[in-house]
Amino acid sequence: EPEVTQTPSHQVTQMGQEVILRCVPISNHLYFYWYRQILGQKVEFLVSFYNNEISEKSEIFDDQFSVERPDGSNFTLKIRSTKLEDSAMYFCASKEGRNEKLFFGSGTQLSVL
Amino acid sequence: GEDVEQSLFLSVREGDSSVINCTYTDSSSTYLYWYKQEPGAGLQLLTYIFSNMDMKQDQRLTVLLNKKDKHLSLRIADTQTGDSAIYFCAESRSSGSARQLTFGSGTQLTVLP
């Protein structure tokens, strides 16, 4: 069964460093998302991406965050200058069409020290 | 704004049925989802229901939707120890050209032998 793939599974970084989280959505999917889950808290929406542009972003997704689809297969989330409070599990998700169900990757656990 | 609420914990005996409840506030919800998260793992889509349905059954899983009361439940028949996990209810709403999910806080299901 096709799946959303995320790399790395764990990322440790120093505060102030840039990180790039990578995702390979399911190949025929058109809508892409990033969510995050801080330990013990709800899964929160960060950003949605369609037709090579951001469709919607939450208040969490400030100027330190950016997303990119550099080629036909990858979808990346960049955090320019990480803060301690960016430590969380980051989930990528994709879906085929507007009314289709959402598939999640297994997540990247980001730890900012 | 939209909100999704779940009880935090549920314990059942192996072989019994589990019922996990969820309430939501957004009357424009179209899809409602149940995701399962095992320790250290991603979000696994268990089942979903379209808002014009009352019930959906999929093997041991039964989803009931009361749209009037904005209440969703997940029943797991013959619960097994492997069903121990956190179960997230989520609802999708329309937002321009994309739809994003709002998650509940998750219900920790513990299955006792």
Side-chain angles (χ1 to χ4, degrees):
Chain A
E1 186 174 356
E3 58 182 24
V4 176
T5 306
Q6 289 187 244
T7 55
S9 56
H10 293 87
Q11 173 99 43
V12 180
T13 190
Q14 295 287 328
M15 191 170 60
Q17 295 295 304
E18 175 184 286
V19 293
I20 298 175
L21 309 182
R22 300 181 192 280
C23 171
V24 179
I26 296 172
S27 62
N28 61 337
H29 285 193
L30 301 176
Y31 294 83
F32 313 112
Y33 301 79
W34 284 100
Y35 287 78
R36 78 171 185 191
Q37 185 184 28
I38 295 172
L39 187 64
Q41 298 187 22
K42 287 189 180 187
V43 178
E44 302 172 291
F45 167 75
L46 291 178
V47 66
S48 59
F49 191 87
Y50 169 72
N51 202 25
N52 285 319
E53 61 182 20
I54 291 174
S55 305
E56 187 174 359
K57 57 185 180 181
S58 71
E59 54 277 3
I60 302 167
F61 195 88
D62 61 21
D63 292 344
Q64 293 300 310
F65 291 87
S66 63
V67 288
E68 197 177 33
R69 186 152 163 83
D71 53 43
S73 60
N74 291 284
F75 180 53
T76 61
L77 174 70
K78 183 193 291 186
I79 310 175
R80 266 180 265 285
S81 177
T82 49
K83 303 188 286 285
L84 296 175
E85 54 265 37
D86 294 327
S87 295
M89 177 76 89
Y90 286 80
F91 293 105
C92 174
S94 70
K95 63 181 182 181
E96 185 177 355
R98 186 172 180 220
N99 296 317
E100 298 298 317
K101 55 188 180 290
L102 199 56
F103 290 89
F104 283 82
S106 55
T108 294
Q109 179 66 57
L110 176 65
S111 299
V112 182
L113 306 178
Chain B
E2 65 284 346
D3 197 14
V4 178
E5 297 292 335
Q6 301 177 240
S7 52
L8 292 179
F9 302 100
L10 177 66
S11 291
V12 299
R13 292 277 175 200
E14 192 173 13
D16 289 350
S17 291
S18 309
V19 179
I20 303 171
N21 293 301
C22 171
T23 56
Y24 60 98
T25 58
D26 189 357
S27 57
S28 67
S29 296
T30 51
Y31 280 102
L32 294 123
Y33 300 78
W34 285 103
Y35 286 87
K36 177 183 180 183
Q37 185 181 37
E38 296 182 65
L43 296 166
Q44 175 195 352
L45 177 63
L46 280 181
T47 187
Y48 64 98
I49 189 167
F50 193 54
S51 58
N52 67 353
M53 297 168 66
D54 297 325
M55 186 183 90
K56 181 179 180 181
Q57 186 152 5
D58 184 2
Q59 299 181 332
R60 292 192 297 124
L61 305 178
T62 304
V63 179
L64 295 177
L65 175 61
N66 181 329
K67 199 171 179 185
K68 175 175 164 289
D69 294 339
K70 300 192 185 70
H71 182 266
L72 182 74
S73 67
L74 173 69
R75 180 177 179 270
I76 307 172
D78 187 25
T79 315
Q80 303 297 307
T81 54
D83 294 324
S84 292
I86 300 176
Y87 290 80
F88 290 94
C89 169
E91 55 99 15
S92 67
R93 65 178 181 88
S94 175
S95 177
S97 64
R99 292 172 189 258
Q100 45 111 334
L101 298 185
T102 300
F103 283 82
S105 52
T107 298
Q108 172 73 62
L109 174 64
T110 302
V111 182
L112 306 171

